[in-house]
Amino acid sequence: MGTLELKQTLNGHRGRVWNVCWHPKGTCLASCGEDKTIIIWGPQEPKWVIRTILTEGHSRTIREIAWSPCGNYIASASFDATTAIWDKKSGQFECNATLEGHENEVKSVSWSCSGQLLATCSRDKSVWIWEVNDDEYECAAVINAHTQDVKKVRWHPNEEIVASASYDNTVKIFKEDAADNDWSCIATLSSHTSTVWSLAWDKAGNRIATCSDDQTVKIWQEFKSGNEPGIVTVNNESVWKCVCTISGYHTRTIYDIDWCKTTGLLVTACGDDIIRIFKEDSDSDPNQPTFTMVCSMDIAHMQDVNCVQWNPTVPGQLASASDDGLIKIWFYNE
Amino acid sequence: MTETLENINPKLYKKINDRQVTAQDEDEDVEDEFDEREIFDLIRNINDPEHPLTLEELNVVEQGLIELDNKANKVHVKFTPTIPHCSMATLIGLSIRVQLLRVLPSRFKVSVEITPGTHLSEAAVNKQLADKERVAAALENTHLLEVINQCIGIKCQ
């Protein structure tokens, strides 16, 4: 078993903290919550301190924030039905664009790897794709494929493909059709028996890990046409199959999951206040992988853990956010 | 609120007696854990959204349908809508949940569900009540919050 070492507790928000997001260079951290603010934290050896507090961008809870791949922009998704884009062209972060259109709460926001596309999703059941052109944001598609509240959107790590997780228990994958520039659903991942709260792509982008209110984690694998195990595909489109279900560990809803791009470790945030880390077994069959829990941090927080995210550049470093109002920085030692 | 009452003539139930305060209850040195009766006392006087009656008087909540685990910090409340197609079920469940979230220490995990087999859309209502993100969003809706506060506000006798 590895150990999870608490490095620091960051106290700055009033009330529940919904989300944390590392800067792509791993040099600072943004957080948001029900106090309608975004806090940017930066290191001032040996501690993390508040660099900036962004206020007045939203009139209700900020559910999620996302750094653009270049690290110059922050997008924030709010229950006020808007998504705000913050940049520091003036020298400090300011809200310079507000994306409107969703009928109610925006639950998640994600930038594509190129930074040219943005996806948002909402309780109004839709996923929106926005095109970014010189600080102008234009809606390129409104996708109504889910039948319920959409909880999470996440872009593929190196292609313009986006996945969404929903209260309708499914995950869907969308891609633009080159022929008519229309975004359509290319796969529906059905197996969870309750709300899918979050998802994470692996480094290569041919696997997805999902977590759910049904207290399980599932690993989905892409099978391209002509794949070796002989999984049948139609029209040259890939097929996604659930190749592993991790059950029996989590005792309440799993609110978030992250797949480390450097170490391959999976981390989960659970309503039982525990942070758990899973590692793929070295002798595991890639088409039928097995995972072992390598760490379980009891009472990681005093209340539900809402979010966990690996630092993109510092292997083993982890940030978590909780209903207890705190953010914690951890280090995982194997 | 609807203009016409869904359940015009609900069956009334007798209220239970007030809790007897013992000498031990008043002794500050005795560690006093929560019990089912205490949880019941916190929700029995919530008002029904339609009738000038409490959830106890309508038998929507009962002490016997409350499960409490002090060690595991779990509170589980089952409630019984007065009729199987009650459109107020979510609102009633939300009122119970909000009241317990407000008054219990934050260490408690509160779950509120419909008594199995007593409502037509039991699964959908339970799923919505268990989704803390949707509950949080609902509580930011001023109108809804007012209605919930009215339900929770203890009636002046």
Side-chain angles (χ1 to χ4, degrees), chain B residues 94-147:
Chain B
L94 203 52
S95 301
I96 297 170
R97 192 163 168 180
V98 169
Q99 167 72 348
L100 293 176
L101 287 178
R102 283 183 185 163
V103 297
L104 288 177
S106 59
R107 65 184 166 93
F108 278 105
K109 307 280 183 188
V110 175
S111 50
V112 175
E113 288 187 342
I114 290 178
T115 312
T118 64
H119 197 273
L120 295 171
S121 25
E122 184 184 316
V125 173
N126 286 346
K127 190 171 183 180
Q128 197 157 352
L129 288 172
D131 185 322
K132 68 169 186 178
E133 186 185 60
R134 289 165 71 121
V135 169
L139 296 183
E140 287 186 3
N141 175 330
T142 328
H143 172 68
L144 185 59
L145 190 60
E146 249 171 59
V147 175

Short mmCIF file of all heavy atoms in Angstrom, two decimals, chain B residues 94-147:
data_model
loop_
_atom_site.label_atom_id
_atom_site.label_comp_id
_atom_site.label_asym_id
_atom_site.label_seq_id
_atom_site.Cartn_x
_atom_site.Cartn_y
_atom_site.Cartn_z
N LEU B 94 -37.72 17.46 0.36
CA LEU B 94 -36.72 18.53 0.38
C LEU B 94 -36.81 19.31 1.70
O LEU B 94 -35.78 19.65 2.29
CB LEU B 94 -36.99 19.45 -0.81
CG LEU B 94 -35.85 20.32 -1.35
CD1 LEU B 94 -34.62 19.48 -1.64
CD2 LEU B 94 -36.31 21.03 -2.63
N SER B 95 -38.01 19.56 2.17
CA SER B 95 -38.18 20.27 3.44
C SER B 95 -37.56 19.48 4.59
O SER B 95 -36.89 20.04 5.46
CB SER B 95 -39.67 20.51 3.74
OG SER B 95 -40.24 21.27 2.71
N ILE B 96 -37.78 18.16 4.58
CA ILE B 96 -37.20 17.32 5.64
C ILE B 96 -35.68 17.37 5.55
O ILE B 96 -34.98 17.56 6.54
CB ILE B 96 -37.70 15.85 5.50
CG1 ILE B 96 -39.21 15.76 5.69
CG2 ILE B 96 -36.97 14.94 6.50
CD1 ILE B 96 -39.81 14.40 5.34
N ARG B 97 -35.17 17.26 4.33
CA ARG B 97 -33.72 17.26 4.14
C ARG B 97 -33.11 18.59 4.58
O ARG B 97 -32.10 18.62 5.28
CB ARG B 97 -33.40 16.96 2.67
CG ARG B 97 -31.95 16.67 2.51
CD ARG B 97 -31.52 16.00 1.27
NE ARG B 97 -30.05 16.11 1.27
CZ ARG B 97 -29.25 15.65 0.36
NH1 ARG B 97 -29.72 15.01 -0.65
NH2 ARG B 97 -27.95 15.82 0.46
N VAL B 98 -33.74 19.68 4.17
CA VAL B 98 -33.21 21.01 4.51
C VAL B 98 -33.21 21.22 6.01
O VAL B 98 -32.23 21.69 6.60
CB VAL B 98 -34.02 22.12 3.79
CG1 VAL B 98 -33.66 23.49 4.33
CG2 VAL B 98 -33.77 22.05 2.30
N GLN B 99 -34.32 20.84 6.66
CA GLN B 99 -34.39 21.00 8.11
C GLN B 99 -33.26 20.24 8.80
O GLN B 99 -32.56 20.77 9.67
CB GLN B 99 -35.77 20.51 8.60
CG GLN B 99 -35.89 20.34 10.10
CD GLN B 99 -35.93 21.66 10.86
OE1 GLN B 99 -35.65 22.72 10.31
NE2 GLN B 99 -36.27 21.60 12.14
N LEU B 100 -33.02 18.99 8.39
CA LEU B 100 -31.97 18.19 9.03
C LEU B 100 -30.58 18.72 8.69
O LEU B 100 -29.69 18.72 9.53
CB LEU B 100 -32.12 16.72 8.64
CG LEU B 100 -33.38 16.05 9.19
CD1 LEU B 100 -33.51 14.62 8.69
CD2 LEU B 100 -33.41 16.07 10.73
N LEU B 101 -30.39 19.22 7.46
CA LEU B 101 -29.09 19.79 7.09
C LEU B 101 -28.81 21.02 7.94
O LEU B 101 -27.67 21.27 8.34
CB LEU B 101 -29.08 20.20 5.61
CG LEU B 101 -29.02 19.06 4.59
CD1 LEU B 101 -29.06 19.63 3.17
CD2 LEU B 101 -27.76 18.23 4.76
N ARG B 102 -29.86 21.79 8.25
CA ARG B 102 -29.65 23.02 9.00
C ARG B 102 -29.38 22.77 10.48
O ARG B 102 -28.57 23.47 11.08
CB ARG B 102 -30.89 23.92 8.89
CG ARG B 102 -30.96 24.64 7.57
CD ARG B 102 -32.17 25.55 7.56
NE ARG B 102 -32.33 26.19 6.25
CZ ARG B 102 -33.45 26.77 5.86
NH1 ARG B 102 -34.50 26.80 6.65
NH2 ARG B 102 -33.52 27.32 4.67
N VAL B 103 -30.06 21.80 11.06
CA VAL B 103 -29.96 21.68 12.51
C VAL B 103 -28.98 20.61 13.00
O VAL B 103 -28.47 20.73 14.10
CB VAL B 103 -31.35 21.46 13.17
CG1 VAL B 103 -32.24 22.67 12.94
CG2 VAL B 103 -32.00 20.20 12.66
N LEU B 104 -28.71 19.61 12.17
CA LEU B 104 -27.78 18.58 12.64
C LEU B 104 -26.34 19.01 12.40
O LEU B 104 -26.06 19.78 11.48
CB LEU B 104 -28.04 17.26 11.90
CG LEU B 104 -29.31 16.50 12.25
CD1 LEU B 104 -29.44 15.26 11.37
CD2 LEU B 104 -29.32 16.11 13.72
N PRO B 105 -25.39 18.50 13.20
CA PRO B 105 -23.98 18.79 12.93
C PRO B 105 -23.60 18.31 11.53
O PRO B 105 -24.17 17.32 11.05
CB PRO B 105 -23.24 17.97 14.00
CG PRO B 105 -24.24 17.60 15.02
CD PRO B 105 -25.58 17.60 14.35
N SER B 106 -22.64 18.99 10.91
CA SER B 106 -22.33 18.70 9.51
C SER B 106 -21.72 17.31 9.31
O SER B 106 -21.63 16.83 8.20
CB SER B 106 -21.40 19.77 8.95
OG SER B 106 -20.22 19.82 9.72
N ARG B 107 -21.31 16.64 10.42
CA ARG B 107 -20.73 15.30 10.27
C ARG B 107 -21.78 14.28 9.79
O ARG B 107 -21.44 13.23 9.25
CB ARG B 107 -20.13 14.83 11.60
CG ARG B 107 -21.12 14.64 12.72
CD ARG B 107 -20.43 14.26 14.04
NE ARG B 107 -21.31 14.38 15.19
CZ ARG B 107 -22.04 13.38 15.69
NH1 ARG B 107 -21.99 12.20 15.12
NH2 ARG B 107 -22.80 13.58 16.74
N PHE B 108 -23.07 14.60 9.95
CA PHE B 108 -24.10 13.63 9.58
C PHE B 108 -24.34 13.59 8.07
O PHE B 108 -24.40 14.61 7.41
CB PHE B 108 -25.42 13.95 10.29
CG PHE B 108 -25.48 13.42 11.69
CD1 PHE B 108 -25.36 14.28 12.78
CD2 PHE B 108 -25.64 12.06 11.92
CE1 PHE B 108 -25.41 13.79 14.07
CE2 PHE B 108 -25.68 11.56 13.22
CZ PHE B 108 -25.57 12.42 14.30
N LYS B 109 -24.46 12.38 7.54
CA LYS B 109 -24.88 12.16 6.16
C LYS B 109 -26.38 11.90 6.21
O LYS B 109 -26.81 10.90 6.78
CB LYS B 109 -24.18 10.95 5.56
CG LYS B 109 -22.67 10.95 5.69
CD LYS B 109 -22.02 11.81 4.64
CE LYS B 109 -20.51 11.73 4.74
NZ LYS B 109 -19.85 12.68 3.86
N VAL B 110 -27.14 12.82 5.66
CA VAL B 110 -28.59 12.70 5.73
C VAL B 110 -29.14 12.14 4.43
O VAL B 110 -28.81 12.62 3.36
CB VAL B 110 -29.21 14.10 5.98
CG1 VAL B 110 -30.73 14.02 5.94
CG2 VAL B 110 -28.74 14.67 7.31
N SER B 111 -29.95 11.09 4.52
CA SER B 111 -30.65 10.66 3.31
C SER B 111 -32.15 10.59 3.60
O SER B 111 -32.56 10.18 4.68
CB SER B 111 -30.12 9.33 2.79
OG SER B 111 -30.06 8.39 3.82
N VAL B 112 -32.91 11.05 2.64
CA VAL B 112 -34.37 11.11 2.78
C VAL B 112 -34.97 10.36 1.60
O VAL B 112 -34.67 10.67 0.45
CB VAL B 112 -34.84 12.58 2.81
CG1 VAL B 112 -36.36 12.65 2.84
CG2 VAL B 112 -34.24 13.31 4.00
N GLU B 113 -35.81 9.37 1.91
CA GLU B 113 -36.41 8.57 0.84
C GLU B 113 -37.88 8.32 1.11
O GLU B 113 -38.32 8.37 2.26
CB GLU B 113 -35.70 7.21 0.73
CG GLU B 113 -34.31 7.30 0.15
CD GLU B 113 -33.70 5.94 -0.11
OE1 GLU B 113 -34.19 4.94 0.45
OE2 GLU B 113 -32.73 5.89 -0.89
N ILE B 114 -38.60 8.02 0.04
CA ILE B 114 -40.02 7.67 0.18
C ILE B 114 -40.13 6.23 0.72
O ILE B 114 -39.37 5.35 0.31
CB ILE B 114 -40.72 7.80 -1.19
CG1 ILE B 114 -40.81 9.29 -1.55
CG2 ILE B 114 -42.08 7.14 -1.19
CD1 ILE B 114 -41.43 9.57 -2.89
N THR B 115 -41.06 6.02 1.64
CA THR B 115 -41.31 4.66 2.15
C THR B 115 -41.61 3.74 0.95
O THR B 115 -42.50 4.06 0.15
CB THR B 115 -42.52 4.67 3.12
OG1 THR B 115 -42.32 5.73 4.05
CG2 THR B 115 -42.64 3.36 3.86
N PRO B 116 -40.87 2.65 0.80
CA PRO B 116 -41.03 1.81 -0.39
C PRO B 116 -42.50 1.44 -0.65
O PRO B 116 -43.23 1.06 0.27
CB PRO B 116 -40.20 0.57 -0.06
CG PRO B 116 -39.16 1.06 0.89
CD PRO B 116 -39.82 2.15 1.69
N GLY B 117 -42.90 1.60 -1.90
CA GLY B 117 -44.24 1.18 -2.32
C GLY B 117 -45.34 2.18 -2.04
O GLY B 117 -46.52 1.86 -2.20
N THR B 118 -44.99 3.42 -1.63
CA THR B 118 -46.07 4.36 -1.29
C THR B 118 -46.20 5.51 -2.29
O THR B 118 -46.99 6.42 -2.08
CB THR B 118 -45.87 4.96 0.12
OG1 THR B 118 -44.65 5.73 0.12
CG2 THR B 118 -45.79 3.87 1.17
N HIS B 119 -45.41 5.49 -3.35
CA HIS B 119 -45.54 6.58 -4.33
C HIS B 119 -45.24 6.06 -5.72
O HIS B 119 -44.35 5.23 -5.91
CB HIS B 119 -44.61 7.74 -3.98
CG HIS B 119 -44.95 9.02 -4.66
ND1 HIS B 119 -44.48 9.34 -5.90
CD2 HIS B 119 -45.75 10.04 -4.29
CE1 HIS B 119 -44.97 10.53 -6.26
NE2 HIS B 119 -45.74 10.98 -5.31
N LEU B 120 -45.96 6.59 -6.72
CA LEU B 120 -45.82 6.09 -8.09
C LEU B 120 -44.46 6.40 -8.70
O LEU B 120 -43.94 5.62 -9.47
CB LEU B 120 -46.95 6.67 -8.97
CG LEU B 120 -48.36 6.22 -8.57
CD1 LEU B 120 -49.42 7.00 -9.33
CD2 LEU B 120 -48.52 4.71 -8.81
N SER B 121 -43.90 7.58 -8.38
CA SER B 121 -42.58 7.89 -8.95
C SER B 121 -41.51 7.92 -7.87
O SER B 121 -40.67 8.80 -7.82
CB SER B 121 -42.60 9.18 -9.75
OG SER B 121 -43.62 10.03 -9.34
N GLU B 122 -41.61 6.92 -7.01
CA GLU B 122 -40.69 6.77 -5.88
C GLU B 122 -39.21 6.86 -6.28
O GLU B 122 -38.44 7.64 -5.71
CB GLU B 122 -40.99 5.39 -5.31
CG GLU B 122 -40.27 4.98 -4.08
CD GLU B 122 -40.66 3.53 -3.74
OE1 GLU B 122 -41.86 3.19 -3.82
OE2 GLU B 122 -39.76 2.75 -3.40
N ALA B 123 -38.82 6.11 -7.32
CA ALA B 123 -37.39 6.05 -7.69
C ALA B 123 -36.91 7.42 -8.17
O ALA B 123 -35.82 7.87 -7.79
CB ALA B 123 -37.18 5.01 -8.77
N ALA B 124 -37.73 8.10 -8.98
CA ALA B 124 -37.33 9.40 -9.52
C ALA B 124 -37.22 10.44 -8.40
O ALA B 124 -36.28 11.24 -8.37
CB ALA B 124 -38.34 9.86 -10.57
N VAL B 125 -38.18 10.42 -7.48
CA VAL B 125 -38.15 11.39 -6.37
C VAL B 125 -36.94 11.11 -5.48
O VAL B 125 -36.20 12.02 -5.11
CB VAL B 125 -39.46 11.34 -5.55
CG1 VAL B 125 -39.35 12.21 -4.30
CG2 VAL B 125 -40.65 11.77 -6.39
N ASN B 126 -36.69 9.84 -5.17
CA ASN B 126 -35.54 9.49 -4.33
C ASN B 126 -34.22 9.92 -4.97
O ASN B 126 -33.32 10.42 -4.29
CB ASN B 126 -35.49 7.97 -4.09
CG ASN B 126 -36.56 7.52 -3.11
OD1 ASN B 126 -37.17 8.35 -2.42
ND2 ASN B 126 -36.80 6.23 -3.05
N LYS B 127 -34.11 9.73 -6.28
CA LYS B 127 -32.87 10.07 -6.97
C LYS B 127 -32.63 11.57 -6.90
O LYS B 127 -31.51 12.03 -6.66
CB LYS B 127 -32.94 9.61 -8.43
CG LYS B 127 -31.60 9.72 -9.15
CD LYS B 127 -31.65 9.06 -10.52
CE LYS B 127 -30.29 9.12 -11.19
NZ LYS B 127 -30.28 8.49 -12.51
N GLN B 128 -33.68 12.33 -7.08
CA GLN B 128 -33.56 13.79 -7.04
C GLN B 128 -33.19 14.27 -5.64
O GLN B 128 -32.34 15.13 -5.48
CB GLN B 128 -34.88 14.40 -7.49
CG GLN B 128 -34.73 15.84 -7.87
CD GLN B 128 -35.83 16.29 -8.81
OE1 GLN B 128 -36.62 15.48 -9.28
NE2 GLN B 128 -35.90 17.57 -9.08
N LEU B 129 -33.82 13.69 -4.62
CA LEU B 129 -33.53 14.10 -3.24
C LEU B 129 -32.10 13.73 -2.83
O LEU B 129 -31.51 14.37 -1.98
CB LEU B 129 -34.52 13.44 -2.27
CG LEU B 129 -35.96 13.97 -2.31
CD1 LEU B 129 -36.86 13.11 -1.44
CD2 LEU B 129 -36.01 15.43 -1.87
N ALA B 130 -31.55 12.69 -3.46
CA ALA B 130 -30.20 12.23 -3.09
C ALA B 130 -29.12 13.00 -3.83
O ALA B 130 -27.95 12.90 -3.49
CB ALA B 130 -30.08 10.73 -3.41
N ASP B 131 -29.51 13.78 -4.85
CA ASP B 131 -28.52 14.49 -5.67
C ASP B 131 -28.22 15.84 -5.02
O ASP B 131 -28.97 16.80 -5.17
CB ASP B 131 -29.07 14.66 -7.08
CG ASP B 131 -28.07 15.28 -8.03
OD1 ASP B 131 -27.33 16.19 -7.60
OD2 ASP B 131 -28.04 14.87 -9.20
N LYS B 132 -27.11 15.93 -4.30
CA LYS B 132 -26.85 17.14 -3.52
C LYS B 132 -26.61 18.37 -4.39
O LYS B 132 -26.83 19.48 -3.96
CB LYS B 132 -25.66 16.92 -2.59
CG LYS B 132 -24.34 16.77 -3.30
CD LYS B 132 -23.19 16.81 -2.30
CE LYS B 132 -21.87 16.80 -3.02
NZ LYS B 132 -20.73 16.88 -2.13
N GLU B 133 -26.18 18.12 -5.63
CA GLU B 133 -25.96 19.25 -6.54
C GLU B 133 -27.30 19.89 -6.92
O GLU B 133 -27.44 21.11 -6.94
CB GLU B 133 -25.25 18.74 -7.79
CG GLU B 133 -24.82 19.82 -8.76
CD GLU B 133 -24.23 19.22 -10.02
OE1 GLU B 133 -24.94 18.46 -10.72
OE2 GLU B 133 -23.06 19.48 -10.31
N ARG B 134 -28.30 19.04 -7.20
CA ARG B 134 -29.62 19.56 -7.55
C ARG B 134 -30.30 20.17 -6.33
O ARG B 134 -31.03 21.16 -6.44
CB ARG B 134 -30.46 18.46 -8.18
CG ARG B 134 -29.94 18.13 -9.58
CD ARG B 134 -30.48 16.85 -10.11
NE ARG B 134 -31.88 16.92 -10.46
CZ ARG B 134 -32.35 16.67 -11.69
NH1 ARG B 134 -31.53 16.38 -12.67
NH2 ARG B 134 -33.64 16.71 -11.93
N VAL B 135 -30.05 19.58 -5.15
CA VAL B 135 -30.61 20.16 -3.92
C VAL B 135 -30.00 21.54 -3.70
O VAL B 135 -30.70 22.51 -3.41
CB VAL B 135 -30.35 19.24 -2.70
CG1 VAL B 135 -30.70 19.94 -1.40
CG2 VAL B 135 -31.16 17.94 -2.83
N ALA B 136 -28.67 21.65 -3.90
CA ALA B 136 -27.99 22.94 -3.72
C ALA B 136 -28.55 23.98 -4.69
O ALA B 136 -28.79 25.13 -4.31
CB ALA B 136 -26.49 22.78 -3.93
N ALA B 137 -28.75 23.57 -5.94
CA ALA B 137 -29.29 24.50 -6.94
C ALA B 137 -30.71 24.91 -6.56
O ALA B 137 -31.08 26.08 -6.68
CB ALA B 137 -29.25 23.86 -8.32
N ALA B 138 -31.50 23.96 -6.08
CA ALA B 138 -32.88 24.26 -5.70
C ALA B 138 -32.92 25.30 -4.57
O ALA B 138 -33.75 26.20 -4.57
CB ALA B 138 -33.61 22.99 -5.28
N LEU B 139 -31.97 25.17 -3.64
CA LEU B 139 -31.98 26.06 -2.48
C LEU B 139 -31.48 27.47 -2.85
O LEU B 139 -31.59 28.38 -2.05
CB LEU B 139 -31.14 25.49 -1.35
CG LEU B 139 -31.67 24.18 -0.77
CD1 LEU B 139 -30.82 23.72 0.38
CD2 LEU B 139 -33.13 24.31 -0.35
N GLU B 140 -30.95 27.63 -4.06
CA GLU B 140 -30.58 28.97 -4.52
C GLU B 140 -31.74 29.64 -5.24
O GLU B 140 -31.65 30.79 -5.66
CB GLU B 140 -29.35 28.90 -5.45
CG GLU B 140 -28.06 28.60 -4.70
CD GLU B 140 -26.83 28.68 -5.58
OE1 GLU B 140 -26.93 29.01 -6.76
OE2 GLU B 140 -25.74 28.40 -5.05
N ASN B 141 -32.83 28.90 -5.40
CA ASN B 141 -34.04 29.45 -6.02
C ASN B 141 -34.88 30.12 -4.93
O ASN B 141 -35.42 29.46 -4.04
CB ASN B 141 -34.79 28.29 -6.69
CG ASN B 141 -36.12 28.69 -7.26
OD1 ASN B 141 -36.79 29.60 -6.77
ND2 ASN B 141 -36.51 28.00 -8.31
N THR B 142 -34.95 31.45 -4.99
CA THR B 142 -35.57 32.22 -3.92
C THR B 142 -37.01 31.80 -3.65
O THR B 142 -37.42 31.68 -2.49
CB THR B 142 -35.56 33.73 -4.27
OG1 THR B 142 -34.40 33.98 -5.06
CG2 THR B 142 -35.55 34.59 -3.05
N HIS B 143 -37.77 31.61 -4.72
CA HIS B 143 -39.18 31.26 -4.52
C HIS B 143 -39.32 29.93 -3.80
O HIS B 143 -40.05 29.79 -2.82
CB HIS B 143 -39.90 31.21 -5.87
CG HIS B 143 -41.30 30.68 -5.75
ND1 HIS B 143 -42.30 31.37 -5.11
CD2 HIS B 143 -41.83 29.50 -6.14
CE1 HIS B 143 -43.41 30.64 -5.13
NE2 HIS B 143 -43.15 29.49 -5.74
N LEU B 144 -38.55 28.94 -4.30
CA LEU B 144 -38.63 27.60 -3.70
C LEU B 144 -38.18 27.63 -2.24
O LEU B 144 -38.79 27.00 -1.37
CB LEU B 144 -37.76 26.64 -4.52
CG LEU B 144 -37.82 25.17 -4.12
CD1 LEU B 144 -39.24 24.63 -4.20
CD2 LEU B 144 -36.91 24.35 -5.01
N LEU B 145 -37.13 28.41 -1.99
CA LEU B 145 -36.61 28.50 -0.63
C LEU B 145 -37.66 29.09 0.32
O LEU B 145 -37.82 28.64 1.45
CB LEU B 145 -35.34 29.35 -0.62
CG LEU B 145 -34.54 29.33 0.69
CD1 LEU B 145 -34.08 27.93 1.02
CD2 LEU B 145 -33.34 30.27 0.59
N GLU B 146 -38.42 30.07 -0.19
CA GLU B 146 -39.49 30.67 0.62
C GLU B 146 -40.53 29.62 0.99
O GLU B 146 -40.98 29.54 2.13
CB GLU B 146 -40.18 31.77 -0.19
CG GLU B 146 -39.93 33.17 0.32
CD GLU B 146 -40.46 34.20 -0.66
OE1 GLU B 146 -41.68 34.16 -0.95
OE2 GLU B 146 -39.64 35.00 -1.15
N VAL B 147 -40.91 28.82 -0.02
CA VAL B 147 -41.92 27.78 0.23
C VAL B 147 -41.41 26.78 1.26
O VAL B 147 -42.11 26.40 2.19
CB VAL B 147 -42.28 27.06 -1.10
CG1 VAL B 147 -43.23 25.91 -0.83
CG2 VAL B 147 -42.89 28.03 -2.09
#
